[in-house]
Amino acid sequence: MTEHAPDTNGTSDYERVGGNAAVSAVVTRFYELVLDDPQLAPFFESVDMPRLKRHQALLISQVLGGPAEYDGRELREAHAGMRITPTHFEAVVKHLVAALEEAGVEQDVIVRVGVALGATQEDIVTDSTG
Ligand code: HEM
């Protein structure tokens, strides 16, 4: 996955957004939005949410060029057999973008995160009918 190393001033997107505390807050808000969405909530019914949030925060930190390294499963493996459609995928990305916007993250950073996570679609979507 694409990562965002420091710019010419030595500032990574991770530092620009406010580091670990900011990423954690975004991830918390992101899963509130996901669990409030009736088409998505059923997927997460028996999921260990603290563990999922930790993995998602690591993944997003890594995408932002932060020091964290994602140590969860490969995304293809983690989402196998869930019959996730493009509609589900778009809804999840929409909630993540909303959480980043609410946290005041700048648009250029949001676009980079969106591009990096959008590229995971082929690993996550396993049902093209919806
Ligand atoms: C931008 C798109 C997405 C990204 C980057 C993403 C990322 C992740 C990550 C990092 C994990 C943790 C894997 C682990 O703990 O080993 C995970 C798990 C999970 N994801 Fe996603 N995901 C995305 C889209 C979706 C969608 C669209 C759905 C369902 C509608 C979904 C449902 C789940 C569920 C239910 C789990 C928990 C699986 C388990 O613990 O057994 N994800 N995802």
Side-chain angles (χ1 to χ4, degrees):
M1 190 174 309
T2 320
E3 291 171 40
H4 292 284
D7 62 20
T8 48
N9 300 315
T11 310
S12 66
D13 284 348
Y14 178 77
E15 290 169 80
R16 279 178 63 197
V17 306
N20 182 53
V23 172
S24 297
V26 165
V27 168
T28 297
R29 181 63 181 139
F30 166 54
Y31 283 114
E32 269 175 24
L33 294 169
V34 166
L35 295 181
D36 271 354
D37 185 332
Q39 68 176 329
L40 299 177
F43 285 92
F44 297 88
E45 257 163 22
S46 55
V47 167
D48 176 349
M49 290 307 290
R51 177 172 161 280
L52 175 55
K53 285 180 190 170
R54 193 178 68 77
H55 282 158
Q56 191 66 265
L58 285 175
L59 182 67
I60 292 171
S61 299
Q62 185 178 315
V63 165
L64 290 167
E69 282 190 31
Y70 177 64
D71 65 0
R73 285 166 292 168
E74 291 293 333
L75 293 185
R76 184 179 291 277
E77 192 193 325
H79 299 89
M82 289 189 202
R83 303 187 61 89
I84 294 173
T85 66
T87 306
H88 296 133
F89 186 84
E90 279 160 30
V92 163
V93 171
K94 186 189 77 178
H95 293 316
L96 180 59
V97 168
L100 289 163
E101 280 174 347
E102 277 183 35
V105 173
E106 288 166 82
Q107 277 299 325
D108 63 324
V109 177
I110 294 179
V111 169
R112 285 196 283 277
V113 172
V115 169
L117 296 187
T120 67
Q121 176 155 354
E122 61 174 26
D123 292 331
I124 291 175
V125 170
T126 47
D127 180 351
S128 60
T129 62

